[in-house]
Amino acid sequence: MELSCCGKRQKPEVKSLAVTGAQWGDEGKGKIVDYLASRAHVVARFQGGNNAGHTVMIGSETFKMHHLPVGLLYPGVVCILGNGMVINPPVLVEELEGIQSRGWDTSELYISDRAHVILPFHLVLDQMEEKYRADKKIGTTGLGIGPAYADKACRRGLRMIDLVKPERFKAWLEEALPLQNNYLQQVYGHPGISLSDILNRFLPLGEQLSSRVTDTSLMLNGYLKEGYRVLFEGSQGGFLDLDHGTYPYVTSSSTTAGGACSGLGIGPHMIREILGVIKAYTTRVGEGPFPTEELGETGERMRHKGAEYGTTTGRPRRCGWFDAVMGRYSARLNGYTGWAVTKLDVLSGLEKIKIATAYYSNGNKTEHFPSLLEDIYRCEPIYEELPGWEMDIQGVQSPDQLPIEARQYLKAIEDLTGVAIDVVSTGPEREQVIVMRGELF
Ligand code: IMP
């Protein structure tokens, strides 16, 4: 008998690029994704929910995106919310309507049928748990992200495909809500949430979203195989990754590039380039260790000049020097093929700029990021000091126009992390970028 096989063994030639944050989120991914989305046919988010906050400035308009991929701001780009995300339907619909009312077309937004749903009791639980943790609180966004992912992992969550089928949703809620309410009442003394309130709110939302709910893995693999340019848009950052971040001060999803595979239903070879977004300094919102944090005047200056306040919660961000130990760790976790360095302009005017090159941890020098929380709290950064520059570099678009000190600083980032810089952002506007390498995908 002759065996016939039509399978192909060669690696497909895909045109794709994953963009992930390399610090604690808020690295300016929105700006970089917005810039790159001009070349994309498809932009897909793969993790997180409306805890993400991307600010994009187009001319005089400012857009704050939470659920929606930044690619939606380019006409004709297909946008996908992947199965690795958790979706809060009222927030998503409000965000969609807000963008539509400003004249943007949202018809090409699709939601994975396998994405999980954030429900009102998830928000209550998130907030109650934080209160209960008292001085050990994580500083979550309070948007129900952790509890929604916990229900998914416990195999008792609600998926988008269930939400858009009214009878299924009703049956699911009738079974799930008494358990959730029992927990809220017994553990936290909360009165619980009414079944009819949830049904009345969520049934119409399911109907509104149903035409967008589909098998997005099928769609995406089709686009990739046909050679369309696909951008995978990460949210949060590597140090908030559930497995690799500063646990438990992390979010509840896989924020590193590998998360794009499970969070979208694609094979690892479907990701060609991986761009890590890093701020020229470091910031963090919420609690948890931060080795290079500057609590004094320097940190305050960065916060003020960099407008470092959370997009989602408005909280002031903690600020500190660039940390090459973190950069190397992120590069390893993600397999970065290049960096996008943001907010370089914020460092203008400083006499000296510091970079942490290694840590002293338990009396030893280490170049690697520790896993034990206490070690991260206790470690002391070893700094290299570089000369700063006076010139205001906002809006500079070519590396030759940068002062020599700024170029030296970028070179130090490359040398210390072992990753080349592809893009430098020099201001909040779309055009305020320096492209060091040609087209990325
Ligand atoms: P959660 O994602 O709301 O559970 O919050 C967990 C941690 O992640 C907290 O420290 C939040 O401040 C942080 N976090 C969540 N989303 C973002 C983000 O988009 N940028 C920065 N930090 C975030």
Side-chain angles (χ1 to χ4, degrees):
M1 192 181 70
E2 220 176 280
L3 282 177
S4 73
C5 178
C6 60
K8 291 194 183 97
R9 283 201 190 275
Q10 76 267 33
K11 221 173 139 182
E13 264 306 308
V14 289
K15 295 184 189 122
S16 67
L17 169 72
V19 179
T20 66
Q23 294 157 324
W24 278 292
D26 308 315
E27 298 90 352
K29 290 178 294 296
K31 157 82 191 284
I32 298 298
V33 172
D34 174 61
Y35 169 73
L36 293 166
S38 62
R39 280 184 53 78
H41 298 110
V42 183
V43 176
R45 270 194 66 182
F46 54 89
Q47 44 73 225
N50 55 316
N51 51 345
H54 290 162
T55 307
V56 180
M57 288 173 70
I58 304 173
S60 59
E61 289 208 79
T62 302
F63 294 85
K64 291 188 191 284
M65 321 281 277
H66 296 287
H67 253 317
L68 295 174
V70 170
L72 205 68
L73 299 175
Y74 276 94
V77 173
V78 172
C79 287
I80 288 174
L81 303 182
N83 57 276
M85 290 187 66
V86 283
I87 309 287
N88 186 328
V91 176
L92 175 59
V93 166
E94 197 185 321
E95 214 173 308
L96 276 168
E97 287 174 350
I99 294 230
Q100 281 157 5
S101 70
R102 292 164 81 176
W104 254 257
D105 175 23
T106 66
S107 59
E108 292 289 349
L109 175 87
Y110 301 93
I111 308 162
S112 168
D113 46 10
R114 291 165 172 87
H116 276 247
V117 182
I118 304 173
L119 287 152
F121 45 80
H122 293 135
L123 276 82
V124 176
L125 255 178
D126 194 0
Q127 289 156 22
M128 292 285 171
E129 279 171 3
E130 278 288 88
K131 219 159 130 188
Y132 186 74
R133 285 185 194 113
D135 62 347
K136 289 204 170 63
K137 70 179 190 314
I138 291 167
T140 71
T141 55
L143 298 171
I145 306 297
Y149 276 116
D151 276 353
K152 172 181 173 176
C154 285
R155 295 155 295 182
R156 57 171 182 235
L158 178 81
R159 301 188 303 169
M160 285 303 291
I161 191 67
D162 307 308
L163 174 74
V164 299
K165 298 197 182 306
E167 287 312 314
R168 253 187 103 79
F169 174 43
K170 196 162 169 280
W172 178 89
L173 196 64
E174 279 167 356
E175 204 180 313
L177 192 62
L179 272 176
Q180 298 278 357
N181 274 342
N182 195 21
Y183 188 72
L184 283 180
Q185 285 154 359
Q186 301 295 324
V187 178
Y188 294 114
H190 186 275
I193 297 173
S194 128
L195 182 100
S196 58
D197 279 0
I198 302 185
L199 281 180
N200 291 342
R201 260 178 92 202
F202 280 70
L203 280 173
L205 292 166
E207 200 184 326
Q208 234 175 308
L209 293 172
S210 66
S211 61
R212 300 179 186 270
V213 174
T214 184
D215 184 341
T216 50
S217 158
L218 196 62
M219 270 178 85
L220 198 53
N221 278 278
Y223 281 122
L224 284 160
K225 283 180 185 151
E226 282 171 41
Y228 286 98
R229 281 188 293 275
V230 179
L231 203 154
F232 307 114
E233 176 181 326
S235 300
Q236 289 86 44
F239 285 79
L240 290 173
D241 183 279
L242 182 59
D243 287 86
H244 304 289
T246 45
Y247 192 89
Y249 298 98
V250 292
T251 190
S252 299
S253 60
S254 297
T255 60
T256 40
C261 298
S262 55
L264 285 166
I266 56 163
H269 55 286
M270 290 296 185
I271 308 177
R272 202 183 72 184
E273 303 274 342
I274 307 166
L275 187 69
V277 186
I278 34 170
K279 247 178 221 174
Y281 48 100
T282 311
T283 62
R284 170 166 209 170
V285 270
E287 307 304 315
F290 181 170
T292 62
E293 182 168 15
E294 282 289 310
L295 293 169
E297 208 180 294
T298 311
E300 184 52 45
R301 186 192 172 283
M302 288 175 186
R303 183 160 38 251
H304 179 70
K305 192 152 183 219
E308 296 295 356
Y309 296 90
T311 310
T312 306
T313 57
R315 290 179 287 177
R317 295 178 186 142
R318 300 155 63 193
C319 298
W321 296 113
F322 183 84
D323 186 338
V325 181
M326 288 175 63
R328 284 193 294 272
Y329 181 58
S330 267
R332 165 156 59 90
L333 299 177
N334 286 272
Y336 286 137
T337 55
W339 288 126
V341 179
T342 61
K343 293 195 155 184
L344 186 65
D345 52 303
V346 173
L347 296 182
S348 297
L350 287 169
E351 202 183 321
K352 297 257 179 252
I353 301 179
K354 290 199 217 174
I355 299 188
T357 57
Y359 301 151
Y360 277 120
S361 176
N362 296 318
N364 298 312
K365 183 178 168 184
T366 177
E367 301 202 332
H368 304 293
F369 200 78
S371 51
L372 191 69
L373 202 59
E374 284 70 23
D375 287 348
I376 315 173
Y377 273 117
R378 278 195 303 251
C379 71
E380 280 179 42
I382 302 171
Y383 287 111
E384 181 180 319
E385 229 176 48
L386 283 92
W389 59 91
E390 259 312 310
M391 180 185 153
D392 179 5
I393 59 166
Q394 186 164 31
V396 164
Q397 288 176 318
S398 149
D400 314 334
Q401 290 166 3
L402 287 176
I404 176 93
E405 295 84 359
R407 278 184 274 148
Q408 279 169 352
Y409 183 64
L410 294 176
K411 175 85 171 46
I413 292 178
E414 289 187 328
D415 291 345
L416 288 165
T417 59
V419 177
I421 296 173
D422 286 333
V423 183
V424 179
S425 165
T426 56
E429 298 285 342
R430 241 181 200 176
E431 307 72 32
Q432 295 178 321
V433 283
I434 304 172
V435 181
M436 314 289 259
R437 174 154 72 107
E439 276 144 8
L440 293 178
F441 76 134

